[in-house]
Amino acid sequence: MNIHLIENGRLIIVSNRLPFTVRLVEDQITFDESAGGLVTGLSTFLDSYKYHFPKQEAHVWLGWPGSTIPDEFKDQVRARAMAECGSYPVFLSHSDMEQFYWGFCNKTIWPLFHYFPSYTSYEEEFWQTYQQVNQKFCDALLEVLKPQDVVWVQDYHLMLLPRMLRDKVPQIPVGFFLHIPFPSFEIFRLLPPRWRRDLLEGLLGADLVGFHTYEYTQHFLQSVLRILGQEHQMGYVALPDHVSKIETYPMGIDFKKFFETSIAPETQLEREKLKQSLAGFRTVLSIDRLDYSKGILNRLEGFELLLDTYPEYRGKLILILVVVPSRIGVLHYELMKRQIEELVGRINGKFGSIGWTPVIYQYRHLSLYPLSALYGMSEVAMVTPLRDGMNLIAKEYVSSRTDRTGVLILSEMAGAAKELGEAIIVNPNDRRELANALKEALEMPREEQERRNAIMQERLRRYDVVRWATDFVSQLGQMRGIQEQYGEKPPVIKHIAEKYSQAGKRLLLIDYDSALLPAERRPHLTAPPETSLNLLQRLAADHRNSVVLISGAQKPALEQWFRNLPVGMIAENGMWVREHEAEWQAAGSQNKSWKESLLNVLLQYADRIPGSFVEEKEHSITLQYWAADPDQSRNLASELMDNLVHFTANIDVQISQGYKVLEIRNAGVNKGRAANRWLSNPEYSFILAVGDDWTNDDLFRSLPPGAYCLRVGSARQRGRSDFRNSDEVYTFLRLLANFNCGVRHPN
Ligand code: F6P
């Protein structure tokens, strides 16, 4: 097992459900095994983990114990959970569970993320409790965490937890894995804006965020771009305090266990019993948790159509339909159960005879041996969810076919279809396709079955659940190293403030547009709010400071906004320079002969990019596309860039691409060159430049060694920014202003 990172610490798994469920019967506490893919998969991984790291307390599993525990039993449950299961329970009240688990988790996120928007509730109370319960998990974690630990948070119940944890213990590596689909942007955006922002930011608090399929990963990155405005580079999202990696890890199963259980004597016994009662019939298997996302009704209708269309199967074929009880009490689940039972009744009534029941329906849990016997004896398995994050039943069926016969019919809407392409892949909404797939499966030659299963089994054997978890945890371990490559750490801010406080003469180069204006006000540069003028006034009032404001705005606007401040100014992104109490001076060529023809080119593109506009300045023109669709504008902007490069081959202009803005100005005009007016003065012992790294590249590059540059907003390169937004810049500048002339001012 290739996990180096946790040799000194422990792996802390956090999930809503613990691997055991605590029940209180007549004042007696019992611990029963929990069911579900998440707990089974992670338990298998942890067994193997313990084997490879036989130290004491290699891991802790933190989660809800499966029921509401009265206060007087909590100590007892806590002690037993830790001693017997290495687990730390998070106790939740009835009302917490009502609003959190039954509410936000299963009535909001679950239906929405499975593409059932009409089943989705948007209750403010659910959301409030979801936040509170995530906070409770965070508090509980803080009780158990030790400095060397690594935390791995699981699933949609705890999407806010990574950010909460990072805010409290930034040094602890945090991973997150989503076990359900992450929907496309058009679905995700249905969540109220506050919720969807917080959820994305919550997840991005993790160092590593994992999804089952490449599509879910892309969906997530799309939402991050469109909602938070954060670009990614090869799956890395650069945030002010860290970098988050977004990656695909398709969850596997315990292949060996399913393969071996299939030939275990206990399974053989179960199989014999089944064979006796089903003698003479061919069998198709369907097993699911009761859930509207599983497509059970469509499957039954497909089966019905088969019997309708191909009468030769009547009297010969049985569908074994096992429905495992789940989330009892949620309305849509109850309705679904009733509909399933009605449909089963209709099919049996329509086709059945005294000696043949077409659908054998069971509503119950199955333990391992009877389950394995069913897998082993069913010629066909129909796994046709309408939407499913992964679907482990499909993988379990294939792994249990030790003689390599058997046919899997698999929905293209299940994450598993990405790996099990040798199955018969169907669209679960097409009943005709389901019926035909059944016929194809029942008639598939044995060699073909063996060929397909051999390929799938090999894949499942190689990428099993232990490999899945090991890959995730190993990558998580490497993230700290990657974080370090991304540049300075947050304490650098304190360090800079300290250096500032000790310096004699200081130069502060502040990019007004990106550092002081809130992002939403940048497209149309506007006057600064009163508070920022006051702050700049305080900074400039210190006789040791030279404050220079840099902007893309034109001279008259800057003059008007900052006329009362003792500051230097750079206008039109470096075209004009004005020292305090001096006149404006051009910092580059004033040629404008190129403007008209290029203006037309930009206008043509503005017409093609809804939400964009062209701004003409004295010596430059810009195309701004802040409000445009990010994908469309990205493509058209790079097309425009290409065209302009050809167009301007013989003209002495430069084209620069900023964050959602493209600017054309005379060659040699830039913020760095303009700032030289101040930078060339040797008397500054402290130099600081602050702005986004899109439009301040030249400025940052022209800084002398020892100067500081602080980046704002989403980073352009695989680098990190220092401030998320202008609010954070203000906080920092206030910190500096507090050192004015050695006197501390109140904030
Ligand atoms: O698919 C996500 C998942 O959390 C599985 O891991 C689990 O088997 C299933 O949902 C049911 O979860 P629960 O019974 O805890 O709501």
Side-chain angles (χ1 to χ4, degrees), residues 517-579:
L517 263 189
E520 64 278 7
R521 289 171 60 181
R522 282 186 68 187
H524 303 276
L525 294 174
T526 52
E530 199 57 33
T531 45
S532 80
L533 285 176
N534 293 342
L535 179 57
L536 290 168
Q537 175 70 52
R538 281 174 61 200
L539 283 169
D542 188 325
H543 67 275
R544 292 169 295 181
N545 289 351
S546 296
V547 177
V548 179
L549 297 171
I550 306 168
S551 176
Q554 303 201 63
K555 292 176 293 179
L558 292 184
E559 268 174 30
Q560 195 195 337
W561 299 338
F562 303 114
R563 63 179 171 267
N564 297 325
L565 294 184
V567 295
M569 289 186 256
I570 296 176
E572 270 196 67
N573 285 332
M575 181 61 216
W576 298 102
V577 173
R578 194 182 108 164
E579 289 181 81

Side-chain angles (χ1 to χ4, degrees), residues 167-196:
D167 287 345
K168 291 282 183 203
V169 278
Q171 72 284 4
I172 298 277
V174 179
F176 179 92
F177 191 84
L178 188 72
H179 290 259
I180 62 173
F182 193 92
S184 67
F185 168 70
E186 283 303 331
I187 290 287
F188 185 71
R189 74 183 308 184
L190 295 175
L191 288 171
R194 262 173 312 125
W195 305 5
R196 64 192 190 200

Side-chain angles (χ1 to χ4, degrees), residues 16-17 35-39 101 106 110 155-157 179-180 289 326-327:
N16 174 55
R17 206 175 271 287
L38 188 157
V39 289
Y101 175 75
N106 288 324
W110 182 274
D155 229 358
Y156 60 101
H157 314 87
H179 290 259
I180 62 173
R289 233 172 15 83
S326 172
R327 299 176 194 164

Side-chain angles (χ1 to χ4, degrees), residues 77-117:
V77 169
R78 200 178 285 117
R80 269 188 69 183
M82 191 44 94
E84 294 170 26
C85 316
S87 297
Y88 192 80
V90 182
F91 298 112
L92 299 175
S93 67
H94 275 302
S95 83
D96 279 345
M97 287 314 281
E98 203 48 50
Q99 312 286 331
F100 161 73
Y101 175 75
W102 299 106
F104 197 75
C105 296
N106 288 324
K107 293 195 186 114
T108 306
I109 295 297
W110 182 274
L112 191 69
F113 280 34
H114 285 86
Y115 293 75
F116 283 83

Side-chain angles (χ1 to χ4, degrees), residues 65 190 220 269 623 644 667:
L190 295 175
F220 176 72
L269 214 68
L623 173 73
L644 286 173

